[in-house]
Amino acid sequence: MGRRSDHTRDELKALFILEGWRLLAETGLSRFSARDVAKRVGYSIGTLYVVFGSLDGLLLSINARTLKLWSDFLAARLAENPPDRIAALVRGYFDFALQNPRTWMAIYEHHMADRGPAPDWYQEVAANLIAQVAEEIATVLPNASPSQLLTMARSLIATVHGHCAFAVYNTFDMLGENDPAGLALMRVRETLAAAKLASA
Amino acid sequence: MGRRSDHTRDELKALFILEGWRLLAETGLSRFSARDVAKRVGYSIGTLYVVFGSLDGLLLSINARTLKLWSDFLAARLAENPPDRIAALVRGYFDFALQNPRTWMAIYEHHMADRGPAPDWYQEVAANLIAQVAEEIATVLPNASPSQLLTMARSLIATVHGHCAFAVYNTFDMLGENDPAGLALMRVRETLAAAKLASA
DNA sequence: GAAATAATTGAGCACCGTTCAAAAAACAAT
DNA sequence: ATTGTTTTTTGAACGGTGCTCAATTATTTC
Protein backbone atom coordinates (compact mmCIF):
# COMPACT_ATOMS: atom_id res chain seq x y z
CA MET A 1 0.00 0.00 0.00
CA GLY A 2 1.06 3.54 -0.61
CA ARG A 3 3.72 5.05 1.61
CA ARG A 4 3.76 8.32 -0.18
CA SER A 5 5.67 10.52 2.24
CA ASP A 6 7.96 7.82 3.50
CA HIS A 7 10.37 8.24 0.61
CA THR A 8 11.33 10.90 -1.87
CA ARG A 9 11.59 9.98 -5.52
CA ASP A 10 15.34 9.57 -5.24
CA GLU A 11 15.09 7.43 -2.13
CA LEU A 12 12.46 5.32 -3.86
CA LYS A 13 14.67 4.91 -6.91
CA ALA A 14 17.59 3.89 -4.71
CA LEU A 15 15.39 1.37 -2.90
CA PHE A 16 14.31 -0.26 -6.15
CA ILE A 17 17.87 -0.39 -7.43
CA LEU A 18 19.27 -1.87 -4.21
CA GLU A 19 16.61 -4.53 -3.85
CA GLY A 20 16.70 -5.22 -7.60
CA TRP A 21 20.46 -5.69 -7.41
CA ARG A 22 20.03 -8.19 -4.59
CA LEU A 23 17.37 -10.12 -6.46
CA LEU A 24 19.56 -10.20 -9.57
CA ALA A 25 22.48 -11.49 -7.50
CA GLU A 26 20.27 -14.25 -6.12
CA THR A 27 18.41 -15.37 -9.21
CA GLY A 28 20.32 -14.25 -12.30
CA LEU A 29 18.96 -12.33 -15.26
CA SER A 30 16.76 -15.10 -16.65
CA ARG A 31 14.70 -15.45 -13.45
CA PHE A 32 14.69 -11.74 -12.67
CA SER A 33 11.24 -10.16 -12.52
CA ALA A 34 10.02 -6.61 -12.01
CA ARG A 35 7.07 -7.85 -9.95
CA ASP A 36 9.43 -9.56 -7.51
CA VAL A 37 11.45 -6.39 -7.08
CA ALA A 38 8.31 -4.35 -6.40
CA LYS A 39 7.08 -6.93 -3.89
CA ARG A 40 10.39 -6.91 -2.03
CA VAL A 41 10.45 -3.12 -1.83
CA GLY A 42 6.81 -2.97 -0.74
CA TYR A 43 5.57 -0.79 -3.58
CA SER A 44 3.37 -1.82 -6.46
CA ILE A 45 4.50 -2.79 -9.93
CA GLY A 46 2.86 0.40 -11.21
CA THR A 47 5.11 2.60 -9.09
CA LEU A 48 8.18 0.80 -10.37
CA TYR A 49 7.12 1.59 -13.91
CA VAL A 50 6.51 5.24 -13.07
CA VAL A 51 10.06 5.48 -11.70
CA PHE A 52 11.97 3.50 -14.34
CA GLY A 53 9.70 3.48 -17.39
CA SER A 54 10.58 -0.09 -18.31
CA LEU A 55 12.38 -3.20 -17.18
CA ASP A 56 15.28 -2.13 -19.37
CA GLY A 57 15.50 1.12 -17.45
CA LEU A 58 15.61 -0.70 -14.13
CA LEU A 59 18.23 -3.16 -15.34
CA LEU A 60 20.34 -0.35 -16.73
CA SER A 61 20.36 1.32 -13.30
CA ILE A 62 21.16 -1.97 -11.62
CA ASN A 63 24.05 -2.55 -14.01
CA ALA A 64 25.28 0.95 -13.28
CA ARG A 65 25.38 0.01 -9.60
CA THR A 66 27.38 -3.10 -10.45
CA LEU A 67 29.86 -1.04 -12.46
CA LYS A 68 30.19 1.37 -9.55
CA LEU A 69 30.82 -1.47 -7.10
CA TRP A 70 33.35 -2.96 -9.49
CA SER A 71 35.13 0.34 -9.93
CA ASP A 72 35.26 0.87 -6.15
CA PHE A 73 36.52 -2.69 -5.74
CA LEU A 74 39.41 -2.05 -8.13
CA ALA A 75 40.17 1.32 -6.52
CA ALA A 76 40.33 -0.36 -3.10
CA ARG A 77 42.79 -2.91 -4.43
CA LEU A 78 45.01 -0.15 -5.81
CA ALA A 79 44.67 1.81 -2.58
CA GLU A 80 46.44 -1.03 -0.78
CA ASN A 81 49.58 0.12 -2.58
CA PRO A 82 50.35 -3.27 -4.09
CA PRO A 83 53.87 -3.79 -5.38
CA ASP A 84 52.50 -4.73 -8.82
CA ARG A 85 49.62 -2.46 -9.78
CA ILE A 86 48.96 -4.21 -13.11
CA ALA A 87 48.64 -7.55 -11.34
CA ALA A 88 46.33 -5.97 -8.77
CA LEU A 89 44.05 -4.74 -11.57
CA VAL A 90 43.92 -8.10 -13.31
CA ARG A 91 43.29 -9.99 -10.06
CA GLY A 92 40.70 -7.41 -9.10
CA TYR A 93 38.91 -7.83 -12.41
CA PHE A 94 38.66 -11.58 -11.85
CA ASP A 95 37.91 -11.51 -8.14
CA PHE A 96 34.97 -9.16 -8.51
CA ALA A 97 33.51 -11.16 -11.40
CA LEU A 98 33.87 -14.47 -9.57
CA GLN A 99 32.45 -13.04 -6.34
CA ASN A 100 29.48 -11.47 -8.16
CA PRO A 101 28.92 -13.78 -11.11
CA ARG A 102 25.24 -13.07 -11.74
CA THR A 103 25.36 -9.29 -11.49
CA TRP A 104 28.62 -9.25 -13.44
CA MET A 105 27.18 -11.40 -16.24
CA ALA A 106 24.08 -9.20 -16.42
CA ILE A 107 26.26 -6.28 -17.53
CA TYR A 108 27.09 -8.14 -20.71
CA GLU A 109 23.89 -10.10 -21.24
CA HIS A 110 21.46 -7.26 -21.01
CA HIS A 111 21.30 -5.52 -24.37
CA MET A 112 19.28 -2.42 -24.83
CA ALA A 113 17.76 -4.27 -27.78
CA ASP A 114 16.81 -1.66 -30.37
CA ARG A 115 16.95 1.40 -28.13
CA GLY A 116 20.17 2.40 -29.84
CA PRO A 117 23.46 2.91 -28.01
CA ALA A 118 23.89 2.98 -24.24
CA PRO A 119 23.13 6.26 -22.48
CA ASP A 120 25.86 8.87 -22.07
CA TRP A 121 26.58 8.22 -18.41
CA TYR A 122 27.07 4.56 -19.24
CA GLN A 123 29.59 5.30 -21.98
CA GLU A 124 31.29 7.67 -19.55
CA VAL A 125 31.83 4.91 -16.99
CA ALA A 126 33.37 2.75 -19.70
CA ALA A 127 35.61 5.60 -20.85
CA ASN A 128 36.73 6.16 -17.26
CA LEU A 129 37.74 2.52 -16.87
CA ILE A 130 39.74 2.64 -20.09
CA ALA A 131 41.39 5.90 -19.04
CA GLN A 132 42.37 4.51 -15.65
CA VAL A 133 43.93 1.43 -17.21
CA ALA A 134 45.69 3.62 -19.78
CA GLU A 135 47.16 5.61 -16.89
CA GLU A 136 48.61 2.49 -15.32
CA ILE A 137 50.03 1.41 -18.65
CA ALA A 138 51.58 4.83 -19.09
CA THR A 139 53.78 4.26 -16.06
CA VAL A 140 55.13 1.14 -17.75
CA LEU A 141 55.36 2.69 -21.23
CA PRO A 142 56.31 6.33 -20.71
CA ASN A 143 57.06 6.87 -24.40
CA ALA A 144 53.66 5.79 -25.77
CA SER A 145 51.32 8.36 -27.26
CA PRO A 146 47.88 8.94 -25.68
CA SER A 147 46.12 7.27 -28.59
CA GLN A 148 48.49 4.31 -28.43
CA LEU A 149 47.79 4.04 -24.72
CA LEU A 150 44.03 4.01 -25.27
CA THR A 151 44.24 1.34 -27.94
CA MET A 152 46.50 -0.76 -25.74
CA ALA A 153 44.20 -0.32 -22.75
CA ARG A 154 41.21 -1.50 -24.78
CA SER A 155 43.15 -4.50 -26.07
CA LEU A 156 44.44 -5.51 -22.64
CA ILE A 157 41.00 -5.16 -21.08
CA ALA A 158 39.65 -7.34 -23.90
CA THR A 159 42.32 -9.94 -23.21
CA VAL A 160 41.57 -10.05 -19.50
CA HIS A 161 37.84 -10.01 -20.17
CA GLY A 162 38.08 -13.02 -22.46
CA HIS A 163 39.86 -15.08 -19.82
CA CYS A 164 37.52 -13.85 -17.10
CA ALA A 165 34.36 -14.60 -19.11
CA PHE A 166 35.55 -18.15 -19.80
CA ALA A 167 36.31 -18.56 -16.10
CA VAL A 168 32.93 -17.25 -14.91
CA TYR A 169 30.96 -19.24 -17.50
CA ASN A 170 33.32 -22.16 -17.03
CA THR A 171 33.74 -22.45 -20.78
CA PHE A 172 36.43 -24.88 -21.87
CA ASP A 173 36.82 -26.03 -18.27
CA MET A 174 38.65 -22.77 -17.67
CA LEU A 175 38.22 -23.19 -13.93
CA GLY A 176 39.91 -26.56 -14.18
CA GLU A 177 42.88 -24.48 -15.30
CA ASN A 178 45.12 -23.90 -12.26
CA ASP A 179 44.77 -20.13 -12.38
CA PRO A 180 42.90 -18.39 -15.19
CA ALA A 181 43.69 -14.96 -13.76
CA GLY A 182 47.38 -15.87 -13.74
CA LEU A 183 47.07 -16.92 -17.37
CA ALA A 184 45.51 -13.58 -18.25
CA LEU A 185 48.22 -11.76 -16.33
CA MET A 186 50.91 -13.59 -18.32
CA ARG A 187 49.27 -12.44 -21.57
CA VAL A 188 49.19 -8.85 -20.30
CA ARG A 189 52.85 -8.94 -19.29
CA GLU A 190 53.86 -10.31 -22.69
CA THR A 191 52.07 -7.47 -24.43
CA LEU A 192 53.62 -4.82 -22.21
CA ALA A 193 57.07 -6.36 -22.60
CA ALA A 194 56.70 -6.43 -26.38
CA ALA A 195 55.59 -2.80 -26.41
CA LYS A 196 58.52 -1.83 -24.21
CA LEU A 197 60.94 -3.56 -26.57
CA ALA A 198 59.40 -1.95 -29.64
CA SER A 199 59.63 1.53 -28.15
CA ALA A 200 63.29 1.11 -27.14
CA MET B 1 -2.89 -29.59 -38.54
CA GLY B 2 -1.09 -32.89 -38.41
CA ARG B 3 1.13 -33.91 -41.23
CA ARG B 4 2.05 -37.16 -39.66
CA SER B 5 3.66 -39.03 -42.52
CA ASP B 6 5.21 -36.00 -44.15
CA HIS B 7 8.27 -36.09 -41.94
CA THR B 8 10.16 -38.59 -39.84
CA ARG B 9 11.14 -37.65 -36.34
CA ASP B 10 14.62 -36.73 -37.45
CA GLU B 11 13.36 -34.66 -40.37
CA LEU B 12 10.97 -32.92 -38.02
CA LYS B 13 13.77 -32.21 -35.55
CA ALA B 14 15.93 -30.81 -38.35
CA LEU B 15 13.03 -28.61 -39.52
CA PHE B 16 12.55 -27.14 -36.06
CA ILE B 17 16.27 -26.52 -35.66
CA LEU B 18 16.65 -24.87 -39.07
CA GLU B 19 13.65 -22.60 -38.72
CA GLY B 20 14.54 -21.88 -35.09
CA TRP B 21 18.05 -20.91 -36.15
CA ARG B 22 16.64 -18.52 -38.72
CA LEU B 23 14.27 -16.94 -36.23
CA LEU B 24 17.11 -16.55 -33.73
CA ALA B 25 19.26 -14.90 -36.39
CA GLU B 26 16.43 -12.46 -37.15
CA THR B 27 15.23 -11.61 -33.66
CA GLY B 28 17.96 -12.44 -31.16
CA LEU B 29 17.59 -14.48 -28.01
CA SER B 30 15.44 -12.01 -26.09
CA ARG B 31 12.65 -11.98 -28.69
CA PHE B 32 12.94 -15.66 -29.53
CA SER B 33 9.81 -17.70 -28.90
CA ALA B 34 8.98 -21.38 -29.17
CA ARG B 35 5.49 -20.57 -30.45
CA ASP B 36 6.95 -18.57 -33.34
CA VAL B 37 9.21 -21.45 -34.32
CA ALA B 38 6.30 -23.89 -34.28
CA LYS B 39 4.17 -21.53 -36.36
CA ARG B 40 6.91 -21.11 -38.96
CA VAL B 41 7.42 -24.85 -39.28
CA GLY B 42 3.68 -25.52 -39.49
CA TYR B 43 3.45 -27.82 -36.49
CA SER B 44 1.88 -27.07 -33.13
CA ILE B 45 3.67 -25.94 -30.02
CA GLY B 46 2.85 -29.30 -28.47
CA THR B 47 4.80 -31.20 -31.11
CA LEU B 48 7.81 -28.98 -30.55
CA TYR B 49 7.76 -29.91 -26.87
CA VAL B 50 7.45 -33.59 -27.65
CA VAL B 51 10.57 -33.37 -29.81
CA PHE B 52 12.76 -31.12 -27.65
CA GLY B 53 11.29 -31.38 -24.16
CA SER B 54 11.86 -27.73 -23.38
CA LEU B 55 12.92 -24.40 -24.81
CA ASP B 56 16.36 -25.05 -23.39
CA GLY B 57 16.56 -28.26 -25.39
CA LEU B 58 15.63 -26.47 -28.59
CA LEU B 59 18.11 -23.67 -27.97
CA LEU B 60 20.84 -26.16 -27.19
CA SER B 61 20.27 -27.84 -30.56
CA ILE B 62 20.20 -24.47 -32.30
CA ASN B 63 23.49 -23.50 -30.64
CA ALA B 64 24.94 -26.81 -31.72
CA ARG B 65 24.06 -25.90 -35.30
CA THR B 66 25.78 -22.55 -34.89
CA LEU B 67 28.90 -24.25 -33.54
CA LYS B 68 28.85 -26.64 -36.51
CA LEU B 69 28.51 -23.75 -38.98
CA TRP B 70 31.31 -21.91 -37.21
CA SER B 71 33.55 -24.95 -37.26
CA ASP B 72 32.87 -25.48 -40.97
CA PHE B 73 33.54 -21.81 -41.59
CA LEU B 74 36.95 -22.04 -39.97
CA ALA B 75 37.75 -25.29 -41.77
CA ALA B 76 36.89 -23.63 -45.09
CA ARG B 77 39.25 -20.77 -44.32
CA LEU B 78 42.06 -23.20 -43.54
CA ALA B 79 41.25 -25.21 -46.65
CA GLU B 80 42.15 -22.20 -48.75
CA ASN B 81 45.76 -22.92 -47.76
CA PRO B 82 46.40 -19.44 -46.40
CA PRO B 83 50.06 -18.45 -45.95
CA ASP B 84 49.39 -17.68 -42.28
CA ARG B 85 47.11 -20.27 -40.72
CA ILE B 86 47.04 -18.59 -37.29
CA ALA B 87 45.89 -15.34 -38.89
CA ALA B 88 43.27 -17.24 -40.86
CA LEU B 89 41.88 -18.73 -37.65
CA VAL B 90 41.73 -15.39 -35.85
CA ARG B 91 40.12 -13.65 -38.82
CA GLY B 92 37.73 -16.55 -39.24
CA TYR B 93 36.72 -16.33 -35.58
CA PHE B 94 35.87 -12.65 -35.98
CA ASP B 95 34.28 -12.86 -39.41
CA PHE B 96 31.85 -15.57 -38.40
CA ALA B 97 30.84 -13.75 -35.22
CA LEU B 98 30.35 -10.44 -37.02
CA GLN B 99 28.39 -12.09 -39.84
CA ASN B 100 26.16 -14.00 -37.41
CA PRO B 101 26.01 -11.76 -34.36
CA ARG B 102 22.72 -12.95 -32.89
CA THR B 103 23.27 -16.67 -33.25
CA TRP B 104 26.87 -16.26 -32.12
CA MET B 105 25.86 -14.30 -29.03
CA ALA B 106 23.21 -16.89 -28.17
CA ILE B 107 25.95 -19.47 -27.66
CA TYR B 108 27.27 -17.50 -24.72
CA GLU B 109 24.04 -15.98 -23.42
CA HIS B 110 22.02 -19.13 -23.13
CA HIS B 111 22.87 -20.80 -19.85
CA MET B 112 21.47 -24.12 -18.96
CA ALA B 113 20.45 -22.44 -15.69
CA ASP B 114 20.53 -25.13 -13.00
CA ARG B 115 20.48 -28.17 -15.23
CA GLY B 116 24.12 -28.76 -14.40
CA PRO B 117 26.93 -28.80 -16.99
CA ALA B 118 26.45 -28.86 -20.75
CA PRO B 119 25.73 -32.26 -22.35
CA ASP B 120 28.58 -34.49 -23.43
CA TRP B 121 28.32 -33.81 -27.15
CA TYR B 122 28.54 -30.11 -26.39
CA GLN B 123 31.71 -30.48 -24.34
CA GLU B 124 33.07 -32.63 -27.13
CA VAL B 125 32.65 -29.86 -29.69
CA ALA B 126 34.49 -27.48 -27.37
CA ALA B 127 37.28 -29.98 -26.82
CA ASN B 128 37.59 -30.44 -30.57
CA LEU B 129 37.99 -26.71 -31.13
CA ILE B 130 40.69 -26.51 -28.47
CA ALA B 131 42.47 -29.53 -29.92
CA GLN B 132 42.43 -28.07 -33.42
CA VAL B 133 43.90 -24.80 -32.23
CA ALA B 134 46.47 -26.68 -30.17
CA GLU B 135 47.49 -28.51 -33.35
CA GLU B 136 48.10 -25.25 -35.17
CA ILE B 137 50.11 -23.94 -32.24
CA ALA B 138 52.14 -27.13 -32.24
CA THR B 139 53.47 -26.33 -35.70
CA VAL B 140 54.77 -23.04 -34.30
CA LEU B 141 56.02 -24.49 -31.01
CA PRO B 142 57.26 -28.00 -31.79
CA ASN B 143 58.91 -28.37 -28.37
CA ALA B 144 55.82 -27.71 -26.25
CA SER B 145 54.23 -30.54 -24.29
CA PRO B 146 50.63 -31.58 -25.02
CA SER B 147 49.38 -30.11 -21.75
CA GLN B 148 51.25 -26.88 -22.41
CA LEU B 149 49.68 -26.75 -25.85
CA LEU B 150 46.17 -27.20 -24.44
CA THR B 151 46.66 -24.49 -21.85
CA MET B 152 48.06 -22.15 -24.47
CA ALA B 153 45.19 -22.93 -26.85
CA ARG B 154 42.64 -22.12 -24.18
CA SER B 155 44.41 -18.88 -23.32
CA LEU B 156 44.73 -17.76 -26.93
CA ILE B 157 41.09 -18.57 -27.66
CA ALA B 158 40.16 -16.55 -24.56
CA THR B 159 42.25 -13.63 -25.82
CA VAL B 160 40.64 -13.68 -29.25
CA HIS B 161 37.22 -14.20 -27.72
CA GLY B 162 37.58 -11.15 -25.51
CA HIS B 163 38.43 -8.91 -28.46
CA CYS B 164 35.68 -10.47 -30.57
CA ALA B 165 33.03 -10.11 -27.87
CA PHE B 166 33.86 -6.44 -27.43
CA ALA B 167 33.66 -5.99 -31.20
CA VAL B 168 30.31 -7.76 -31.57
CA TYR B 169 28.76 -6.02 -28.55
CA ASN B 170 30.50 -2.79 -29.54
CA THR B 171 31.79 -2.40 -25.99
CA PHE B 172 34.34 0.38 -25.57
CA ASP B 173 33.71 1.48 -29.14
CA MET B 174 35.80 -1.48 -30.15
CA LEU B 175 34.47 -1.21 -33.68
CA GLY B 176 35.69 2.39 -33.77
CA GLU B 177 39.07 0.74 -33.40
CA ASN B 178 40.58 0.42 -36.87
CA ASP B 179 40.77 -3.37 -36.75
CA PRO B 180 39.83 -5.30 -33.61
CA ALA B 181 40.73 -8.62 -35.25
CA GLY B 182 44.14 -7.23 -36.10
CA LEU B 183 44.57 -6.18 -32.50
CA ALA B 184 43.71 -9.69 -31.33
CA LEU B 185 46.11 -11.16 -33.85
CA MET B 186 48.93 -8.96 -32.52
CA ARG B 187 48.28 -10.28 -29.01
CA VAL B 188 48.34 -13.87 -30.26
CA ARG B 189 51.62 -13.30 -32.10
CA GLU B 190 53.21 -11.77 -29.01
CA THR B 191 52.26 -14.80 -26.94
CA LEU B 192 53.57 -17.25 -29.51
CA ALA B 193 56.79 -15.27 -29.91
CA ALA B 194 57.30 -15.19 -26.14
CA ALA B 195 56.72 -18.94 -25.92
CA LYS B 196 59.17 -19.56 -28.75
CA LEU B 197 61.81 -17.48 -27.01
CA ALA B 198 61.24 -19.23 -23.69
CA SER B 199 61.59 -22.67 -25.26
CA ALA B 200 64.82 -21.78 -27.06
C1' DG C 1 -13.38 22.53 4.94
C1' DA C 2 -13.43 22.00 -0.35
C1' DA C 3 -10.99 21.90 -4.66
C1' DA C 4 -7.00 20.90 -7.17
C1' DT C 5 -2.95 18.37 -7.72
C1' DA C 6 0.16 14.64 -7.33
C1' DA C 7 1.37 9.88 -6.22
C1' DT C 8 0.08 5.11 -6.08
C1' DT C 9 -2.39 1.28 -7.31
C1' DG C 10 -3.61 -3.30 -9.41
C1' DA C 11 -6.90 -5.44 -12.60
C1' DG C 12 -6.46 -6.18 -17.42
C1' DC C 13 -3.96 -7.02 -21.84
C1' DA C 14 -1.22 -9.81 -24.82
C1' DC C 15 2.28 -12.59 -24.52
C1' DC C 16 5.44 -16.37 -22.60
C1' DG C 17 7.01 -21.59 -21.41
C1' DT C 18 4.90 -25.71 -20.27
C1' DT C 19 1.48 -29.59 -19.63
C1' DC C 20 -1.62 -33.20 -20.84
C1' DA C 21 -6.36 -35.07 -21.84
C1' DA C 22 -8.34 -35.57 -25.96
C1' DA C 23 -8.44 -35.98 -30.98
C1' DA C 24 -6.48 -37.61 -35.19
C1' DA C 25 -3.77 -40.63 -37.81
C1' DA C 26 -1.38 -44.91 -38.66
C1' DC C 27 -1.07 -49.58 -37.97
C1' DA C 28 -2.54 -54.60 -36.86
C1' DA C 29 -5.58 -58.33 -36.79
C1' DT C 30 -9.43 -60.41 -38.31
C1' DA D 1 -13.82 -53.65 -44.51
C1' DT D 2 -14.03 -53.39 -39.68
C1' DT D 3 -12.44 -53.30 -35.40
C1' DG D 4 -9.08 -52.55 -31.88
C1' DT D 5 -4.47 -50.85 -30.61
C1' DT D 6 -0.77 -47.80 -30.76
C1' DT D 7 1.51 -43.62 -32.00
C1' DT D 8 1.51 -38.89 -33.20
C1' DT D 9 -0.37 -34.40 -32.93
C1' DT D 10 -3.00 -30.99 -30.98
C1' DG D 11 -4.30 -26.63 -28.54
C1' DA D 12 -6.96 -25.05 -24.51
C1' DA D 13 -5.55 -24.23 -19.95
C1' DC D 14 -2.28 -22.73 -16.15
C1' DG D 15 0.58 -19.70 -13.93
C1' DG D 16 3.80 -16.58 -15.01
C1' DT D 17 5.82 -12.26 -17.64
C1' DG D 18 6.31 -6.94 -19.13
C1' DC D 19 3.48 -3.18 -19.47
C1' DT D 20 -0.69 0.28 -19.34
C1' DC D 21 -3.84 3.43 -17.45
C1' DA D 22 -8.46 4.55 -15.32
C1' DA D 23 -9.40 4.84 -10.74
C1' DT D 24 -8.19 5.35 -6.08
C1' DT D 25 -5.70 7.51 -2.41
C1' DA D 26 -2.83 10.95 -0.37
C1' DT D 27 -1.09 15.59 -0.26
C1' DT D 28 -1.17 20.39 -1.07
C1' DT D 29 -3.53 24.77 -1.99
C1' DC D 30 -6.80 28.08 -1.08
Side-chain angles (χ1 to χ4, degrees):
Chain A
M1 177 47 75
R3 307 184 300 178
R4 172 163 180 181
S5 50
D6 286 9
H7 309 287
T8 67
R9 255 295 140 77
D10 286 349
E11 287 172 342
L12 196 48
K13 196 165 185 172
L15 267 178
F16 276 123
I17 292 172
L18 178 60
E19 212 53 56
W21 193 90
R22 286 179 176 152
L23 178 63
L24 184 62
E26 289 172 20
T27 65
L29 193 53
S30 67
R31 299 183 197 283
F32 184 86
S33 121
R35 276 183 169 86
D36 275 358
V37 176
K39 187 177 292 176
R40 286 166 76 130
V41 172
Y43 276 83
S44 76
I45 176 73
T47 300
L48 192 154
Y49 270 82
V50 167
V51 174
F52 291 98
S54 68
L55 186 69
D56 269 4
L58 172 61
L59 280 170
L60 211 60
S61 292
I62 289 174
N63 282 344
R65 183 178 139 83
T66 306
L67 283 174
K68 178 78 168 60
L69 290 172
W70 199 8
S71 169
D72 292 349
F73 187 89
L74 291 175
R77 288 292 176 93
L78 287 182
E80 294 169 7
N81 272 42
D84 187 338
R85 291 173 69 85
I86 301 285
L89 280 175
V90 172
R91 298 274 175 201
Y93 197 107
F94 269 76
D95 288 346
F96 183 86
L98 290 170
Q99 284 169 26
N100 305 276
R102 290 195 246 265
T103 46
W104 183 83
M105 293 192 301
I107 294 176
Y108 301 98
E109 286 171 12
H110 171 63
H111 318 309
M112 283 105 264
D114 336 60
R115 243 172 298 294
D120 289 347
W121 58 264
Y122 210 93
Q123 306 254 21
E124 202 182 325
V125 172
N128 265 354
L129 174 57
I130 297 173
Q132 267 192 296
V133 172
E135 237 175 81
E136 297 297 333
I137 300 173
T139 68
V140 186
L141 304 171
N143 295 329
S145 76
S147 110
Q148 281 177 317
L149 284 174
L150 286 182
T151 295
M152 178 138 298
R154 278 191 268 254
S155 183
L156 290 188
I157 294 173
T159 297
V160 174
H161 175 80
H163 286 77
C164 186
F166 278 9
V168 172
Y169 287 88
N170 204 13
T171 323
F172 298 163
D173 274 321
M174 205 57 159
L175 282 178
E177 211 63 51
N178 3 355
D179 179 17
L183 220 51
L185 185 53
M186 284 177 62
R187 301 292 86 82
V188 169
R189 289 204 206 289
E190 283 160 6
T191 296
L192 293 177
K196 219 168 191 173
L197 261 174
S199 79
Chain B
M1 177 45 77
R3 307 184 299 175
R4 173 162 180 182
S5 51
D6 286 9
H7 311 286
T8 67
R9 254 295 140 76
D10 286 349
E11 287 173 340
L12 196 49
K13 195 164 186 173
L15 267 178
F16 276 122
I17 292 173
L18 178 61
E19 212 54 55
W21 192 91
R22 287 180 176 151
L23 178 64
L24 184 61
E26 289 172 22
T27 66
L29 193 54
S30 67
R31 299 182 196 284
F32 184 85
S33 121
R35 279 184 167 86
D36 274 358
V37 176
K39 188 176 291 177
R40 287 166 75 130
V41 172
Y43 276 84
S44 76
I45 177 71
T47 301
L48 192 155
Y49 269 82
V50 168
V51 175
F52 292 97
S54 68
L55 186 70
D56 268 4
L58 172 61
L59 280 170
L60 212 59
S61 291
I62 290 175
N63 282 344
R65 185 179 137 82
T66 305
L67 284 173
K68 178 78 169 59
L69 290 172
W70 198 9
S71 169
D72 292 350
F73 187 89
L74 291 174
R77 289 292 177 93
L78 288 181
E80 293 169 7
N81 273 43
D84 186 337
R85 291 173 68 85
I86 300 286
L89 280 175
V90 173
R91 299 271 176 203
Y93 198 106
F94 268 76
D95 288 346
F96 182 87
L98 290 170
Q99 283 169 27
N100 305 277
R102 290 196 247 264
T103 46
W104 183 83
M105 291 192 299
I107 293 175
Y108 300 99
E109 287 171 12
H110 171 62
H111 317 311
M112 283 106 263
D114 336 61
R115 242 172 299 292
D120 289 347
W121 57 264
Y122 209 94
Q123 307 254 21
E124 202 182 324
V125 172
N128 265 354
L129 174 58
I130 297 173
Q132 269 192 295
V133 171
E135 238 176 81
E136 297 297 334
I137 300 173
T139 68
V140 186
L141 304 172
N143 295 329
S145 76
S147 109
Q148 281 177 317
L149 284 174
L150 286 183
T151 293
M152 177 140 298
R154 277 192 268 253
S155 184
L156 290 188
I157 294 174
T159 297
V160 174
H161 175 79
H163 285 78
C164 186
F166 278 9
V168 172
Y169 287 88
N170 204 13
T171 322
F172 298 164
D173 274 321
M174 204 59 159
L175 283 177
E177 210 65 49
N178 2 354
D179 179 16
L183 221 51
L185 186 52
M186 284 177 63
R187 301 291 87 82
V188 169
R189 289 204 207 288
E190 284 160 6
T191 296
L192 293 176
K196 220 170 192 171
L197 261 173
S199 78

